[in-house]
Amino acid sequence: MNPSTETATDTQGSEDMPQASATAVTAPLKLDKEEIPSVLGKLRTLVQDKTRFAPQDITPLGEEDVLQDFSLQANYALDARFEQRVINGYFAPSGNDCHCGSHEVGALAHAQEKERLRCAAGKLDNALRQPGHAYNGVEAGVYLPHAVKYWHLDTCSACTGKGRIGCHTCHGSTTETCWNCHGGRTVSCDAYGCYGSGKVSCSYCSGNGTVAEQVTDYVTVQVPTTTCSNGSSHTSYHSETRTQYRTEHRNCYHCSFGKVSCNSCHGSGNINCGTCRASGSVTCRTCSGVGDLRCNPCDGSGKVGKAAWVDVHVAPGYSVSLPKQAPDDARRIRDKESVHSLAAIASNLALAKVSIYNEDQPQEVDALYAAKLRIVRLDAACNAEKHHLVAYGTDLRWLTLDDIVEKLLRGDLKALSDALAGSADDGLFSAHVQGLLTPLRDVAASELNADVIESVLSGEADHAHIDVVSADYAQNVRTCVLGALRQVYTRLAKQFWWKSALVALAAAIATWYFAGRGAAAVTGLLVTGIGYWLFNRKVKTVLSEALGGEQQAERAMRIAGKGRRNQLAQVLILAPASLAVLAASYGLPARVRPFSAPPQAAMASAPVAPHAPAAVPQDASTPKAIKLYENGDKVQALAMLESLVGKGDAGAYGLYGWMLLMGEGQSGPAVAPTAQQRQARQVAAKPLVGKGLLKNDSYALTAKGVMLAEGWQEPRNMARGLDLLKQAANKGNAQAMHLLGLYHVRGYQIPVNHKEARKWFTQAADKGSAGDIYNLGLMDWEGAGLKRPDRASAMQRWKIAAAMGEERAIKAVAQGQP
């Protein structure tokens, strides 16, 4: 494509634009050195801020600071777009719009395309030449709007110019058939209970057809009266009228078989339609009762037509070209940076030429800008090695650092890598960390390394400082630093784990002694958590001393957490202590505090205490032992029964077997029995209970009933167990009464029966059982077996039980509630 019109303020050749004069110059920078940022200063600042090395480690050998010429071409593609729209009578033409025939609208608009393109090209040419106009100041989109619209309107054929058409629903009548009653004017009655039947349930008899009445009868009865005189008795009779009440059922006078006529439909089953008010028709919903509709094609204006015009759109495109003799680093800069980025860092960007192609129907306008890019080449020495560095632009971006910074850092990285390799042979139980901390401190002292590691762990596409260090170095520093942190964490955990486990175990055992197994487990796990916190504090302290501050230590710990290099240490700290605590809590026996009273419920297992035989009187007998037991002196009763059983007294077997089975009468501090102790107790009691059954002893019957109900040394048989308990209760055994009440109120293996429970609790209370008096009060409080709770009765029962020494009743009276 050859330019037909060219205007140049300067000429410059490039390999991409051969039509311009090819004079690309590399000019030395003429500005004062104090006004230009120094590459050497930027490099030394980078070394000082991001590494642990001194800026003086970089020695300059030579520097070349030049301005490289390049060309920026802006290409603007112009497009004349034909637009056509359907219009109606509401169209309002402007002063330049032209009315024409229907067949001329499109042709006249198309005829404007060339002229509009020429106008747009001229406007763009003038805009580009304006002083201060940015090279990218033209945005994509409509650049030159239309100057004239060509339009034509005809009468609308759908409505023949009226703007309205007839309604297709009501056909002009303005009403339609009611959608609810479908023109029938009535609908089924929707009253409750009627639903079109015309009948509803009678409110007097609730639809039963019969009502119950209480009838009073007055009955005359003969009442005998006996009198005694002179040693003889005489009986006389007199009449008395007494009132008797009975319930009589009769047919309801207000209905017929439980039904009466519906008040809404008066028995017809239908009511007037509320939608159409019993007229059968409603206002047309389509036209809202108007009878006609607005014509859609003309939107009610009565006219339709079309309008056409031409808009010119622009699509800018940009490219950069260099002279043929441009050096390789300049080409690398062009490939690395975008067009707009190069323009932002270039100096002396100025318009050189504007070209309009095909002046008769221009479709492209090119603007050529000449610019200069600063390129600085620095030769420097570091650690006896020479490096060639290149920076460019007004802000001196790095093209290449020739690995000068990376080679400074690789020495520290190699020392850390060697220390890691040596630590692998220290053995499984090695806990020495000092050999790793020194090289880790040297690597971490360079902030650049930490930036690189965090960016890699965050999953960023390009690691931090990608223009300073290579991707290979970034991966190596990540591997070495994370490996060192893992070793530090693990080795410190080897020093700490057994201490944490020992302290947690000791805390759990101490808590068990005073509060039991559940509290022991909670305390042990809490101490384990505190140990883990102390371990992290220890790690932070060690890293702070090694890395030179808490901020550096926190950053290292954050990196270790992101890389999941502290998981093994967490397992070493938490797992042994947690397992020790849980194993101890499971293995230790359940413990009750010495001053806590044993449960009074007969179903609970009483604590076992060392048995110390009490003194047995010479006149020991079974009735005396039973009396001692019922009076609460169970220790003396057990000693007397043991003596009687040893002498072969058959009457003592039943109560002695019961006390052994339930663990009653033991002296000394109470200790919760183990499962083995309970089973041994049941085995010892079984033969004694069997001997007591031969005498039909009430305590033997109670013990046998419990063993069958609970499945102790017997197959579980709840029905048989309850039967034996009832036999014992009928013999006056308060323990059996208490157990029957408990079984029924709790629903243990049988349905809950509050009436039966209240019966047996009442009988036990009548025998003087304070615990069952409390139980009756509890049932009164909750309303169990009653129509409603009776709090006053409950409180009265608790006061009686409290006076008898029942601890639960004493607390309930003091608190005012159970």
Side-chain angles (χ1 to χ4, degrees), residues 74-259:
N75 175 264
Y76 303 96
L78 301 177
D79 179 22
R81 297 185 184 178
F82 174 76
E83 305 284 349
Q84 183 169 303
R85 301 286 186 274
V86 175
I87 61 174
N88 54 39
Y90 297 115
F91 172 75
S94 62
N96 294 330
D97 293 344
C98 178
H99 180 268
C100 59
S102 175
H103 62 283
E104 297 177 326
V105 172
L108 291 174
H110 278 297
Q112 291 287 315
E113 291 180 356
K114 293 183 179 181
E115 179 62 27
R116 299 307 294 164
L117 284 172
R118 284 194 293 270
C119 291
K123 178 182 176 182
L124 182 57
D125 182 26
N126 292 332
L128 294 173
R129 296 177 187 279
Q130 293 297 322
H133 188 276
Y135 78 96
N136 57 351
V138 178
E139 297 181 356
V142 177
Y143 184 72
L144 186 66
H146 59 274
V148 61
K149 287 182 179 179
Y150 296 93
W151 59 277
H152 176 78
L153 285 173
D154 288 323
T155 300
C156 177
S157 60
C159 63
T160 63
K162 298 177 182 179
R164 310 287 294 183
I165 58 174
C167 176
H168 59 274
T169 301
C170 66
H171 304 289
S173 65
T174 71
T175 61
E176 61 174 317
T177 302
C178 176
W179 54 267
N180 191 18
C181 65
H182 305 289
R185 301 185 180 183
T186 60
V187 293
S188 295
C189 178
D190 58 356
Y192 178 76
C194 178
Y195 305 118
S197 66
K199 300 289 185 179
V200 295
S201 297
C202 176
S203 60
Y204 290 93
C205 63
S206 302
N208 294 326
T210 60
V211 293
E213 289 184 347
Q214 191 175 31
V215 179
T216 304
D217 294 331
Y218 298 96
V219 180
T220 301
V221 296
Q222 297 294 322
V223 181
T225 304
T226 302
T227 59
C228 297
S229 63
N230 300 324
S232 62
S233 62
H234 173 72
T235 301
S236 60
Y237 294 87
H238 67 277
S239 299
E240 286 187 5
T241 302
R242 295 182 178 179
T243 304
Q244 293 183 352
Y245 300 96
R246 58 186 175 87
T247 301
E248 185 177 274
H249 293 274
R250 62 169 179 80
N251 292 334
C252 180
Y253 301 142
H254 301 278
C255 65
S256 174
F257 300 102
K259 297 291 183 179

Side-chain angles (χ1 to χ4, degrees), residues 31 191 236 238 297 329 349-350 462 472 507 533 552 595 631-632 712 741:
L31 299 177
S236 60
H238 67 277
D329 51 10
L349 181 66
D462 294 329
D472 180 62
W533 178 79
Q552 291 81 351
F595 49 81
N631 290 337
W712 292 347

Side-chain angles (χ1 to χ4, degrees), residues 662-680:
M662 304 308 294
E664 295 180 338
Q666 306 293 334
S667 60
V671 180
T674 63
Q676 293 81 0
Q677 290 173 332
R678 285 195 298 269
Q679 187 174 7

Side-chain angles (χ1 to χ4, degrees), residues 579-594:
L579 290 175
V581 168
L582 295 177
S585 301
Y586 179 78
L588 291 171
R591 182 169 179 82
V592 181
R593 289 177 295 178

Side-chain angles (χ1 to χ4, degrees), residues 72 105 277 301 374 431 496 518:
L72 189 153
V105 172
R277 297 183 180 180
S301 66
R374 182 188 180 195
F496 199 85

Side-chain angles (χ1 to χ4, degrees), residues 463-733:
H463 62 78
H465 307 288
I466 191 172
D467 53 349
V468 179
V469 295
S470 63
D472 180 62
Y473 176 83
Q475 288 298 329
N476 287 340
V477 72
R478 171 189 176 276
T479 302
C480 291
V481 170
L482 290 181
L485 289 175
R486 178 177 183 177
Q487 288 286 350
V488 170
Y489 264 95
T490 305
R491 291 174 178 234
L492 289 176
K494 291 176 183 178
Q495 301 175 8
F496 199 85
W497 73 268
W498 63 271
K499 302 175 185 177
S500 175
L502 188 61
V503 173
L505 182 59
I509 294 175
T511 306
W512 164 82
Y513 183 78
F514 292 101
R517 291 188 297 187
V522 173
T523 303
L525 294 177
L526 181 61
V527 173
T528 301
I530 296 174
Y532 179 67
W533 178 79
L534 291 175
F535 167 73
N536 283 328
R537 292 287 300 173
K538 174 68 173 177
V539 172
K540 184 176 180 180
T541 302
V542 170
L543 291 177
S544 298
E545 295 175 356
L547 305 181
E550 288 191 2
Q551 185 175 1
Q552 291 81 351
E554 289 174 356
R555 191 172 192 181
M557 294 175 72
R558 185 168 62 250
I559 290 173
K562 284 185 178 180
R564 298 182 180 179
R565 292 307 190 271
N566 55 355
Q567 290 183 343
L568 179 59
Q570 292 173 349
V571 172
L572 283 174
I573 295 299
L574 296 176
S578 300
L579 290 175
V581 168
L582 295 177
S585 301
Y586 179 78
L588 291 171
R591 182 169 179 82
V592 181
R593 289 177 295 178
F595 49 81
S596 63
Q600 292 192 7
M603 296 307 302
S605 298
V608 176
H611 176 56
V616 180
Q618 295 295 327
D619 56 346
S621 64
T622 301
K624 288 185 177 181
I626 295 175
K627 189 67 174 178
L628 289 171
Y629 177 79
E630 291 177 350
N631 290 337
D633 192 356
K634 296 182 180 180
V635 175
Q636 187 68 28
L638 183 64
M640 186 176 292
L641 289 169
E642 186 175 2
S643 173
L644 293 172
V645 167
K647 295 177 181 179
D649 189 339
Y653 287 119
L655 180 55
Y656 187 57
W658 165 257
M659 295 184 72
L660 282 183
L661 180 67
M662 304 308 294
E664 295 180 338
Q666 306 293 334
S667 60
V671 180
T674 63
Q676 293 81 0
Q677 290 173 332
R678 285 195 298 269
Q679 187 174 7
R681 217 165 54 191
Q682 296 162 13
V683 171
K686 184 176 181 180
L688 296 169
V689 172
K691 292 180 180 180
L693 288 174
L694 298 176
K695 299 286 290 182
N696 203 23
D697 184 83
S698 67
Y699 285 102
L701 290 170
T702 304
K704 188 66 174 180
V706 170
M707 294 175 73
L708 288 170
E710 298 296 329
W712 292 347
Q713 302 299 314
E714 299 279 355
R716 187 188 298 274
N717 189 336
M718 195 68 190
R720 177 60 179 161
L722 288 178
D723 182 59
L724 292 176
L725 287 173
K726 287 179 181 178
Q727 293 181 32
N730 291 333
K731 287 178 173 289
N733 191 294

Side-chain angles (χ1 to χ4, degrees), residues 187-196 198-200 260-272:
V187 293
S188 295
C189 178
D190 58 356
Y192 178 76
C194 178
Y195 305 118
K199 300 289 185 179
V200 295
V260 296
S261 296
C262 175
N263 291 330
S264 298
C265 62
H266 304 288
S268 66
N270 294 322
I271 57 174
N272 290 336

